[in-house]
Amino acid sequence: MKQGRIKLLPDHVANQIAAGEVVQRPASVVKELMENALDAGADDIKLIVKDGGKTLIQVVDNGEGMNELDARMAFERHATSKINSADDLFHLQTKGFRGEALASIAAVAHIEMKTKTAEAELGTYIKIEGSKVVKQEPIATPKGTSIAVKNLFYNIPARRKFLKSVQVEMRHINDEFFRLALAHPDISFSLIHNGNTVYHLPKSKLLQRISNLFGSKMPEKLVPVEESTDYVKIYGYTGKPEFAKLKRGEQFFFVNKRFIKSPYLNHAILTAYEGLIKDKAYPSYFIFFEIDTEHIDVNIHPTKTEIKFDDEQTVYAILKVAVKHSLGQFNLSPAIDFDTRPDLEIPYEYHKKPPVDPQIKVDPDFNPFKEDDFGQPAKVSPLKMSKKLAYFESLMHESSETANELAKDIQHQDPAFTGMDNQFDLVSFQLKQKYIVTRRDERLLLVHQNRAHINVLYHKLLAQLQKENIPSQQLIFPVELQLNPGEISSLREHRDKIIQMGFDLKFEKESVLVEGVPLQLQSQAVADIFQEILETLQYENPDKISNIDEQLALIIAEQSAVKTGQKLSEDEQQNLLKDLFELQQPRYTPTGKKVFISLEPESIDRKFDL
Ligand code: ADP
Ligand code: MG
């Protein structure tokens, strides 16, 4: 018989492929191992990590353990003790159910496990390398399970190479640890990294757990949320509006104690804060949903951070009102007028009324790992992208005349506006305290004052930084920043850069004291600025350390620039224009926003049909 082309993959290859889905990075291993410990009924879980998980990830639990046979079975694909039939999928009470995690991890790492049940006298030791059991023997060990995963991706160099720095991998591990520790305050957890105990969390109530994780000042910044209906029970805490952060806050949703991401429900919360927080601010929240397992489907996402409710709109409506109530009850929001806001009645009559369609699109392809993982989309710095983007935008929205002009710009650095003697007409005035109107040669210029200033400050800061540290001014009243341990260590890590930027920092146990700020910095909002800096350091661009100057300069420039609505003297206008047109790139801000528009005489003529 002629041999066909189709062959079954050998097991170890199939396992490696499957591992790709489950094991993205050390943090995924952490999540799977800790979830297994929780499923095993442990009430004390230790996570021991070395080198951001690249060398070692070990989870020690005091759960039910495994007997000799199960210890071996556990590493087989689709081996699970958690479901017996497909029907069980609709009543899941456990975190795991696919029976894939251990098999996948075993395919791409070295594993050593010790485990013992309560009844057994001796436990089992098992050692596995690349899916193969290389050793198994009885061992004296306490009840429970200890699994050590070493040298992750040792047999897939391409993936090992793509692991990020220790700090970045540790940040992801930290995120997973936080999610599980928050979901289970009644269980004690510790996290030990390179021999240092980073967290030791005793069993406690939720608020205490939040405080242990985010710092002792955190509880004061929160109000409780509580709402019970037949369909869903909601509880937890949400942040007082005045503590909303400038960027991504501490935002957590848990459904039946499982952390989930939901842009849709996040939108419900943001709506509840409408009018209470600044446009760009993000409230913190720790929201728990308890819902009958019949109403949810957790099986839609390989890493299970997404969940489907059978009636998502109801959850949306109830959540929104619950949060609004809490904010209102604590006198934090303007009185809620139930007569004029029919949408607020929904939780009490939600079965009668169709809930209002919320205005948000949920991306069905949403993949939390996409941005920062293998096969990364080309990370073009927005600073460099901006011009092209503006060009394409202009092609879509503006006359081709502007597009052509921009096209020229992209090739030559704004020939019309750079390198010329800076001769303005010395005529300028402000329009709506937003634009500066002036003339240059024959052109009429409309300059966005805030963006112009951002552009100028940004480039000045960077130029200055090339030569020296940015000079610092001492604050008469140093500002104390209450930070969580993760934030403090992030600042420590980048301390030198931040000092070069002109900040003067003093580190204390649960806080950081800002004693000086860059000379240029006009803003009083030191705490806000640091919130932004932290967000940038922790999330936005953790790998582009080389770019951190640009990021910091941008934050300072944005905070210090003249704002819309600010009156400028004629001198101030002229100085700003002069500085702006000395730049190589006056036309766009570092983030690609248009700084000015110019009107040629011809196009003015055309408007007059001339
Ligand atoms: P799943 O969790 O989806 O069942 P896993 O591959 O994570 O799949 O684990 C396979 C099986 O191994 C589990 O069903 C469980 O019976 C057993 N197991 C794994 N980790 C532990 C642990 N820490 N304590 C006790 N049993 C465990
Ligand atoms: Mg599992």
Side-chain angles (χ1 to χ4, degrees), residues 32 35-36 39 82 96-97 101:
E32 295 296 339
E35 288 190 348
N36 280 346
D39 285 344
K82 297 170 194 174
F97 54 86

Side-chain angles (χ1 to χ4, degrees), residues 358-518:
Q359 333 253 285
I360 186 172
K361 280 217 310 264
V362 182
D363 175 4
D365 300 325
F366 176 67
N367 173 357
F369 291 104
K370 216 183 247 161
E371 330 113 73
D372 51 6
D373 242 288
F374 322 101
Q376 337 167 3
K379 274 196 196 154
V380 185
S381 140
L383 307 176
K384 294 189 187 100
M385 271 274 281
S386 57
K387 254 197 153 173
K388 271 206 177 126
L389 272 180
Y391 171 59
F392 289 121
E393 253 175 37
S394 75
L395 282 181
M396 280 154 56
H397 301 299
E398 289 179 27
S399 68
S400 56
E401 179 196 3
T402 336
N404 283 338
E405 201 179 305
L406 278 164
K408 267 189 272 156
D409 274 10
I410 290 171
Q411 285 148 21
H412 321 285
Q413 297 261 328
D414 261 344
F417 294 100
T418 43
M420 288 175 61
D421 49 343
N422 244 299
Q423 281 314 309
F424 284 95
D425 216 23
L426 298 187
V427 178
S428 68
F429 62 91
Q430 262 181 306
L431 186 66
K432 294 186 81 180
Q433 302 192 347
K434 189 175 191 178
Y435 303 107
I436 302 170
V437 184
T438 186
R439 185 178 83 173
R440 175 141 185 191
D441 306 327
E442 309 265 59
R443 300 159 198 246
L444 182 67
L445 292 187
L446 283 164
V447 180
H448 190 289
Q449 65 188 41
N450 167 254
R451 293 180 184 176
H453 202 199
I454 289 175
N455 216 7
V456 165
L457 289 175
Y458 172 81
H459 288 289
K460 266 194 184 162
L461 281 166
L462 284 183
Q464 194 170 11
L465 206 59
Q466 302 257 305
K467 290 180 257 151
E468 62 200 350
N469 284 3
I470 307 286
S472 175
Q473 54 177 328
Q474 288 311 108
L475 292 173
I476 304 170
F477 301 106
V479 177
E480 189 184 7
L481 309 170
Q482 300 291 340
L483 302 172
N484 69 44
E487 293 172 326
I488 293 183
S489 77
S490 213
L491 281 187
R492 261 187 212 283
E493 208 180 289
H494 299 290
R495 181 191 196 136
D496 292 349
K497 282 283 175 211
I498 296 169
I499 287 172
Q500 278 171 21
M501 269 291 162
F503 291 99
D504 192 357
L505 302 183
K506 195 159 128 202
F507 287 85
E508 314 209 318
K509 196 158 160 273
E510 273 211 340
S511 65
V512 171
L513 218 52
V514 183
E515 298 184 320
V517 298

